[in-house]
Amino acid sequence: MTKYLPLLLLFGVFACQQPKEEMKTKITQDPHSFAKPNEAIVKHLSWDAVVDFENKQIQATATFDIETSEGAKELILDTKALSIESVTADGEPAEYSLGEYVEHLGKPLVIKISSETKKVAVTYTSSPEAEALQWLSPQQTDGKELPFLFTQSQAILARSWIPLQDSPGIRFTYDAKVKVPQGMLALMSAENPTEMNDEGVYTFKMEQPIPAYLMALSAGDLKFQSLGARSGVYAEPGVLESAAFEFEDTEAMIEAAEKLYGPYAWDRYDLLVLPPSFPFGGMENPRLTFATPTILAGDKSLVALVAHELAHSWSGNLVTNATWDDFWLNEGFTVYFENRIMESLYGREYSEMLAQLSLQDLRIEVDEMLAGEHPEDTKLKLDLKGRNPDDGVSSIAYDKGYEFLRLLEETVGREAFDVFLKEYFTKNAFKTMTTEAFVEYMKTNLLDKNGVEVSSEFYNEWIYGQGLPDNAPVPSSNKFAIVEDVLAKWKTGESIDQLIVKDNDWNTHQWLHFLRNLPETMTVEQMTTLDDYLGFTASGNSEITHDWLRHVVKNSYEPGYDKLESFLVNVGRRKFLTPLYQDMMDAGKTDMAMEIYTKARPNYHFVSVNSVDKIVGWE
Ligand code: BES
Ligand code: ZN
């Protein structure tokens, strides 16, 4: 049957005789969007907006160029908590209605059109509680003088600030005009200004088609510093210099990435360093990665995150997961690509340390997930229908995805795998990919092409099976072997000052490996000796701090409590929050968790609040 698939598809194209080139391929229904793109699809957005900090609202008109199929009657957009003021179709008032609210998804905005309709305009206001938006008070910024705004649209939060066909399978270009208060710079996932102007009115253009989850906006007291010919960094003035130092290797990363998998498709690559409440490490908004300031370690030790977000310029932004069930196609490929960029710049030993840290975390998470409520979430291909797509964000997409791709690399050889990946990104650029289509593509263009004979069980086990298969590749690193040796001796009772010299040359990743392999339970004496000699509580590296604080909580190490509180109150990066709150709950420190969370919660973005609420049982 499957060998006739291309013929069938071809027949389908001619049989339905749709007028427009783009309408030929039917878009599969995304369970997380109300849009019916096969009837009417958005091709371009013109966004005219005023950012109102006082009322924590965005007032805007979104004008869409649409394409319709024969007999089209409705354009359906996704919305969440938007107040719709008016809707026009080709300049005339249009009939519209907001449908029933569906959990996680919001409400469909159903607009009456005809197959002749070319332009639809929606005038609306976002809610002060819009889930994508975080409005920061001056106190939450570095400068402490002006407020700050940023968006986080992935996975399905774009609809809380723009009515859109909010599905990763639907791409459109956009232009925008945004008014912000005086003294602020506005930035988007688009061609950006580099300087403030007196009016506070900025214009933007994104000429490459992108899915809605890559819509992004930020406004605040921001300055720009160039990093190279086509890269630069934006940050608050007090952060700019350290950010420019930390990201010095960005241009080299772009070059390494291009050498691996083909030309960078988005012209410029800039970074925006946000205040610490940003809920993620990074977000791959096209042309402008949003990043947490917690990677500014002062020694470039955490720049793998830049490699990661840059890699998304190919995996994710160029070739995009069709639905959130295919999320591993975005993240697994990106972790693989990230690792290859890191290897190019800093060598194999370095990238193997990163891979080993990830594998260790993956094993722990797989075991927890298999014993939990949704063991099926350990499959690469997810089934998130009726659930929040955020539930699919785990190490599975990232690190099981990475392991699978590394296994493919090792199976066919690196040279053949690189040829395959480069072609994959080129041939599928600006398109979407389902897991099933990837499997077909891989069979033809990787396995058959290279004469590799494997049974379908080989890849099906990875993609459609639970847990981590036995043939998962195991990275290795000599630098970690040294750490393991020290740990083994320390565990037999040798004292730490006999095993390591103070201020030794271990890098951050060795310290993380050390911290992650300390015993779960330690005595206060052991904690004190380690801390006095190695200075963990005083560390300025956020990853080290996080790993150390887990021991602080588990072992009731009181000298670390102030740091625990200040870290949790200042930093809103979800990856750091959830383990620490979970550890407090598991250790029976409910009062401590509640006390800290009560102070910290107002500082967190919706996505972090949503996760931590569940952990601590916040009402
Ligand atoms: N695209 C993700 C962030 C994301 C995923 C937001 C799912 C919303 C839903 C981003 O590229 C990412 O993976 N960030 C990681 C970086 C890390 C793996 C280097 C993060 O934030 O920790
Ligand atoms: Zn990512």
Side-chain angles (χ1 to χ4, degrees), residues 152-155 213 278-284 304-306 308-309 312 324 327 330-331 334-335 338 389-390 393 398 573-575 607:
Q152 170 54 46
S153 298
Q154 195 184 9
Y213 78 91
F278 185 60
F280 292 103
M283 176 64 213
E284 66 273 25
L305 186 131
V306 177
H308 179 95
E309 304 312 333
H312 272 306
W324 299 115
F327 184 53
N330 272 20
E331 297 300 342
T334 297
V335 172
E338 163 198 349
D390 210 38
V393 182
Y398 288 81
R573 185 175 173 186
R574 182 169 69 176
K575 167 185 121 158
V607 300

Side-chain angles (χ1 to χ4, degrees), residues 65 79 134 265 287 299 325 343 346 358 371 397 408 574:
D65 294 347
T79 73
Q134 193 176 7
R287 297 181 68 116
D299 59 3
D325 290 343
E343 181 182 326
Y346 310 110
S358 302
L408 290 179
R574 182 169 69 176

Side-chain angles (χ1 to χ4, degrees), residues 495-514:
S495 74
I496 196 70
D497 55 347
Q498 298 298 304
L499 292 166
I500 336 181
V501 286
K502 234 184 158 95
D503 302 318
N504 68 0
D505 62 355
W506 283 13
N507 64 25
T508 297
H509 306 290
Q510 284 176 291
W511 287 117
L512 295 177
H513 193 53
F514 179 82

Side-chain angles (χ1 to χ4, degrees), residues 111-247:
I111 301 166
K112 213 166 170 190
I113 55 156
S114 79
S115 54
E116 302 303 310
T117 308
K118 298 276 178 288
K119 263 188 206 297
V120 169
V122 180
T123 300
Y124 68 96
T125 307
S126 65
S127 154
E129 273 79 49
E131 290 171 353
L133 306 179
Q134 193 176 7
W135 303 86
L136 301 180
S137 67
Q139 208 44 43
Q140 291 171 281
T141 67
D142 184 69
K144 315 253 179 265
E145 275 175 17
L146 287 176
F148 196 101
L149 167 69
F150 66 81
T151 63
Q152 170 54 46
S153 298
Q154 195 184 9
I156 54 168
L157 304 180
R159 62 191 70 177
S160 73
W161 63 290
I162 310 180
L164 280 169
Q165 293 183 316
D166 192 3
S167 168
I170 302 173
R171 310 176 90 89
F172 53 90
T173 52
Y174 78 87
D175 62 76
K177 183 172 136 226
V178 180
K179 183 166 170 42
V180 295
Q182 274 193 353
M184 285 197 190
L185 183 65
L187 300 170
M188 293 192 79
S189 49
E191 206 175 305
N192 273 305
T194 54
E195 269 175 26
M196 274 184 208
N197 60 46
D198 295 338
E199 300 76 46
V201 178
Y202 300 92
T203 56
F204 304 88
K205 215 167 49 193
M206 171 45 82
E207 289 177 323
Q208 292 96 328
I210 61 164
Y213 78 91
L214 296 176
M215 289 300 301
L217 170 71
S218 182
D221 181 10
L222 291 166
K223 284 215 150 45
F224 174 77
Q225 187 164 327
S226 173
L227 294 170
R230 52 180 164 166
S231 58
V233 59
Y234 295 86
E236 285 191 70
V239 180
L240 192 60
E241 201 184 321
S242 57
F245 169 79
E246 209 80 26
F247 301 149

Side-chain angles (χ1 to χ4, degrees), residues 205-382:
K205 215 167 49 193
M206 171 45 82
E207 289 177 323
Q208 292 96 328
I210 61 164
Y213 78 91
L214 296 176
M215 289 300 301
L217 170 71
S218 182
D221 181 10
L222 291 166
K223 284 215 150 45
F224 174 77
Q225 187 164 327
S226 173
L227 294 170
R230 52 180 164 166
S231 58
V233 59
Y234 295 86
E236 285 191 70
V239 180
L240 192 60
E241 201 184 321
S242 57
F245 169 79
E246 209 80 26
F247 301 149
E248 228 167 35
D249 294 343
T250 303
E251 201 73 32
M253 286 186 181
I254 304 172
E255 274 162 34
E258 287 193 311
K259 216 169 145 190
L260 282 164
Y261 303 130
Y264 180 71
W266 309 86
D267 307 321
R268 284 195 61 84
Y269 179 78
D270 295 318
L271 290 135
L272 164 63
V273 179
L274 293 159
S277 70
F278 185 60
F280 292 103
M283 176 64 213
E284 66 273 25
N285 298 313
R287 297 181 68 116
L288 185 67
T289 284
F290 282 21
T292 170
T294 61
I295 52 167
L296 304 178
D299 59 3
K300 301 185 186 164
S301 60
L302 304 178
V303 294
L305 186 131
V306 177
H308 179 95
E309 304 312 333
L310 171 66
H312 272 306
S313 307
W314 287 257
S315 43
N317 298 3
L318 214 49
V319 186
T320 308
N321 53 206
T323 70
W324 299 115
D325 290 343
D326 306 298
F327 184 53
W328 78 277
L329 294 177
N330 272 20
E331 297 300 342
F333 279 68
T334 297
V335 172
Y336 178 83
F337 195 170
E338 163 198 349
N339 197 269
R340 294 293 304 275
I341 295 172
M342 294 307 282
E343 181 182 326
S344 304
L345 264 81
Y346 310 110
R348 176 88 175 173
E349 172 75 45
Y350 194 103
S351 60
E352 284 293 272
M353 285 191 279
L354 296 175
Q356 215 175 314
L357 287 172
S358 302
L359 179 58
Q360 195 179 340
D361 285 352
L362 173 64
R363 289 193 191 283
I364 295 169
E365 201 167 341
V366 165
D367 288 346
E368 282 170 5
M369 287 171 77
L370 286 175
E373 226 181 296
H374 288 287
E376 73 280 9
D377 288 351
T378 61
K379 300 172 180 179
L380 286 176
K381 170 76 185 193
L382 298 169

